[in-house]
Amino acid sequence: EPGAALAGYRVTLGGLGPAAGAVADARRFEADAIAELAAADEAHEAAVERAQSSAREAVSATEAYETLRDTVGSAVAELQQRLALAAEQLAALSDQQRATTRARETAVAQRGRAEGLRQAAHGGLDTAVEERAAAAESLRRFTATGLLAVALPGLAVPAPGDGWAPDPTVRLARQIDQELDSVPVDDTAWDRVQRRVTDELKTLADTLARHGNTASAQLLEDGIVVAVVFRAHPSTVPELAVALGTEVADRQRLLDEREREILENHLVNEVASTLQELIAEAERQVRLMNSELDDRPTSTGMRLRLEWRPREDGPAGLAQARRRLLRQTSDAWSEDDRAAVGGFLQARIAEVRTRDEAGTWLEHLTTALDYRGWHRFVIERHQNGQWRPATGPASGGERVLAASVPLFAAASAHYASAGNPHAPRLVTLDEAFAGVDDNARAKYLGLLAAFDLDVVMTSEREWGCYPEVPGLAIAQLARTDGVAAVLVTNWQWDGERRRPAPRPVAVPAAIAPRPATGSLFDDL
């Protein structure tokens, strides 16, 4: 396992540095101690020689003194002075001898300590060498598992079959440590990797088993190694990945060839023909909605229309393909027309497949051939003799009408497709006209009546009693705090007056309380 091997390597590499440092320090201490011991020996020998020479000189001086004292009369005083000087010199030499003796003893002690340090350094050096060799062997074994090639496929690694020299191994270990510096090696990461390996191994084994192949894991000292038997041949996971990549490429090539055949034989003839019908039907619906809008202008004279246009950010080549699709039927297309439309549809499929590689073939086709995503609706207002976007400057009521009137026209055009002229043309609005002034509300309701729509709507304060509304059934709900009941009173508006209406016997009183007292259209 890469994580375990890396952790083991880090521990081994961490031990190599201190051991090598200890060896270097011991060698320096040994060299210093040997030098100090040699200097002390030389100083001691010199001091011994000086002491012996001083002793001999003292004896000679004593003998000379006695001889002179016995034989010389007048020169005794001078001789005594010389003897006194010799005595002083002898005392100085004695002090020097004692100092030399102490220096010798100190040098002997330092030599003993240096010898101990040298022996300890030799022992540490041997231990460090053994640890380095063990770490190098551990790295070599780990490399032989193939896990390092999975983690760092581009790393140059020696052949794991032979023994590795220490220095190149240390350089390789440092390079590995640098390459994997950002990989977490804590216990949490190790546990997470183990669980992931277990889960993915099960998925791999199940997938391979369906095709007669096997996959198994072996827990080694250096990590978890997965062995695969693919098509009756043992292989590693990287080898399996290469083999599967080759097979996928081969199958993809075959699929592309088959796909090209399908597209050439069926896409242009069948799909393009269907798209032509759908786009033509959408254009027809837009014309119907614009006809509804043209027949029912607002009371202020504002005229609106819908434009169903190709999107500016739509697929490349849409405008040209759209012109060919709407110009004539697919049976009358030339070879250039077929090539252009087929190329456009193939490009759309390739674009969707590139963007969503995990999707199925059906999902790709559904997304790529959805012509609705190629277009967008634009609302325009006739102003100063020209059609301009309805998003320009306008009053609040006009903006609301510009946003809602096309929706009413779309609903009216949709209901016009019903075979029965008495079929319901139902539109439901919740909290209608919120934030709209009373004048705009009246125009709103008048347009709903002009479009002959059957509206069921609720509002906190709107009663809908405007001359623009020819008829309306109203249910006013009221409640009192602390009472778990709602009072329902019914009203009718006939276009001129609002009158109380008898409450229907079949409709029970509402029980759920409303948040506030107000008038609401009955939305049953």
Side-chain angles (χ1 to χ4, degrees):
E1 176 62 29
L6 182 57
Y9 154 70
R10 287 182 180 273
V11 173
T12 304
L13 184 60
L16 287 177
V23 171
D25 293 340
R27 286 178 174 171
R28 288 196 300 271
F29 291 155
E30 180 184 11
D32 294 341
I34 291 173
E36 290 177 0
L37 179 59
D41 287 339
E42 292 176 1
H44 176 262
E45 291 175 0
V48 170
E49 291 177 359
R50 288 195 298 272
Q52 292 175 354
S53 177
S54 298
R56 288 192 299 270
E57 290 176 359
V59 173
S60 299
T62 301
E63 292 176 352
Y65 170 74
E66 291 177 352
T67 302
L68 290 174
R69 187 182 60 182
D70 293 340
T71 59
V72 180
S74 61
V76 170
E78 182 182 356
L79 182 59
Q80 287 179 346
Q81 291 179 355
R82 293 174 64 186
L83 288 174
L85 180 60
E88 291 177 359
Q89 292 177 349
L90 181 60
L93 291 173
S94 298
D95 293 340
Q96 187 177 0
Q97 181 183 15
R98 287 192 294 271
T100 303
T101 302
R102 288 194 297 271
R104 177 180 178 279
E105 293 174 352
T106 302
V108 171
Q110 291 177 349
R111 178 181 180 182
R113 289 194 296 272
E115 183 67 24
L117 291 175
R118 185 176 69 85
Q119 293 177 357
H122 273 297
L125 177 61
D126 295 339
T127 303
V129 170
E130 292 176 358
E131 291 177 351
R132 184 177 63 175
E137 178 62 19
S138 177
L139 181 58
R140 186 193 66 79
R141 289 197 312 270
F142 174 74
T143 304
T145 63
L147 297 178
L148 183 59
V150 175
L152 300 173
L155 183 66
V157 180
D162 303 328
W164 288 1
D167 290 342
T169 305
V170 171
R171 288 195 297 270
L172 176 62
R174 289 174 179 170
Q175 185 178 0
I176 295 172
D177 184 63
Q178 183 179 3
E179 294 288 341
L180 300 178
D181 182 65
S182 60
V183 178
V185 294
D186 54 278
D187 293 339
T188 303
W190 170 243
D191 294 338
R192 182 171 61 252
V193 169
Q194 280 187 312
R195 290 194 297 269
R196 181 180 175 185
V197 169
T198 302
D199 296 340
E200 294 190 356
L201 175 62
K202 183 178 183 305
T203 303
L204 176 63
D206 294 342
T207 304
L208 292 176
R210 289 197 293 269
H211 302 280
N213 305 307
T214 61
S216 60
Q218 184 179 5
L219 182 60
L220 303 177
E221 180 181 357
D222 303 298
I224 302 175
V225 179
V226 176
V228 177
V229 177
F230 183 68
R231 294 183 176 176
H233 295 286
S235 63
T236 63
V237 173
E239 293 173 347
L240 175 65
V242 172
L244 291 178
T246 303
E247 184 171 346
V248 168
D250 294 340
R251 294 193 177 188
Q252 185 65 46
R253 185 177 63 256
L254 295 175
L255 179 60
D256 291 342
E257 295 175 356
R258 178 60 178 166
E259 173 186 328
R260 188 179 304 109
E261 180 184 354
I262 294 174
L263 290 175
E264 292 175 353
N265 294 339
H266 304 287
L267 187 60
V268 173
N269 294 331
E270 298 182 9
V271 175
S273 177
T274 303
L275 286 175
Q276 183 183 51
E277 295 175 359
L278 292 173
I279 294 176
E281 176 62 21
E283 292 283 356
R284 189 184 69 82
Q285 289 290 338
V286 170
R287 288 194 297 271
L288 289 176
M289 288 186 281
N290 286 331
S291 176
E292 295 279 351
L293 290 172
D294 189 60
D295 293 341
R296 297 176 176 85
T298 64
S299 59
T300 60
M302 182 175 65
R303 296 173 58 195
L304 299 171
R305 76 175 182 182
L306 287 175
E307 286 290 318
W308 194 54
R309 301 174 179 174
R311 299 179 63 91
E312 292 79 0
D313 57 347
L318 172 61
Q320 182 181 5
R322 191 173 184 273
R323 286 195 301 269
R324 294 178 186 272
L325 286 171
L326 296 178
R327 186 177 62 190
Q328 56 190 357
T329 63
S330 59
D331 295 335
W333 284 348
S334 65
E335 290 299 325
D336 292 340
D337 293 336
R338 292 180 181 276
V341 175
F344 169 74
L345 296 178
Q346 290 177 0
R348 286 293 301 137
I349 296 172
E351 177 185 351
V352 173
R353 290 181 61 186
T354 302
R355 189 171 60 245
D356 181 18
E357 297 181 355
T360 63
W361 176 250
L362 178 60
E363 293 172 345
H364 292 163
L365 287 179
T366 302
T367 303
L369 303 179
D370 187 358
Y371 68 97
R372 296 170 299 179
W374 307 344
H375 302 78
R376 69 184 183 95
F377 280 100
V378 177
I379 303 173
E380 293 183 341
R381 178 176 57 187
H382 196 266
Q383 186 177 25
N384 298 329
Q386 294 182 345
W387 288 101
R388 303 178 184 272
T391 55
S395 64
E398 288 180 337
R399 285 196 298 269
V400 172
L401 289 174
S404 303
V405 169
L407 298 179
F408 297 156
S412 177
H414 173 70
Y415 284 127
S417 63
N420 190 338
H422 304 292
R425 299 164 61 88
L426 185 63
V427 174
T428 59
L429 302 174
D430 184 30
E431 297 295 338
F433 313 125
V436 181
D437 56 62
D438 292 342
N439 184 36
R441 291 173 182 237
K443 296 176 182 177
Y444 240 134
L445 289 170
L447 280 173
L448 289 171
F451 281 110
D452 192 24
L453 296 175
D454 302 322
V455 183
V456 177
M457 52 199 305
T458 66
S459 176
E460 184 179 356
R461 54 179 290 270
E462 180 60 61
W463 283 73
C465 299
Y466 301 108
E468 291 85 351
V469 180
L472 200 62
I474 306 169
Q476 164 72 10
L477 308 183
R479 75 176 185 87
T480 302
D481 292 339
V483 178
V486 176
L487 175 64
V488 181
T489 57
N490 297 96
W491 303 80
Q492 287 183 350
W493 168 256
D494 59 5
E496 297 179 356
R497 240 174 38 171
R498 182 180 64 200
R499 297 185 179 87
R503 178 179 172 185
V505 178
V507 179
I511 300 300
R514 296 286 291 181
T517 302
S519 62
L520 298 160
F521 288 95
D522 187 358
D523 58 352
L524 296 177

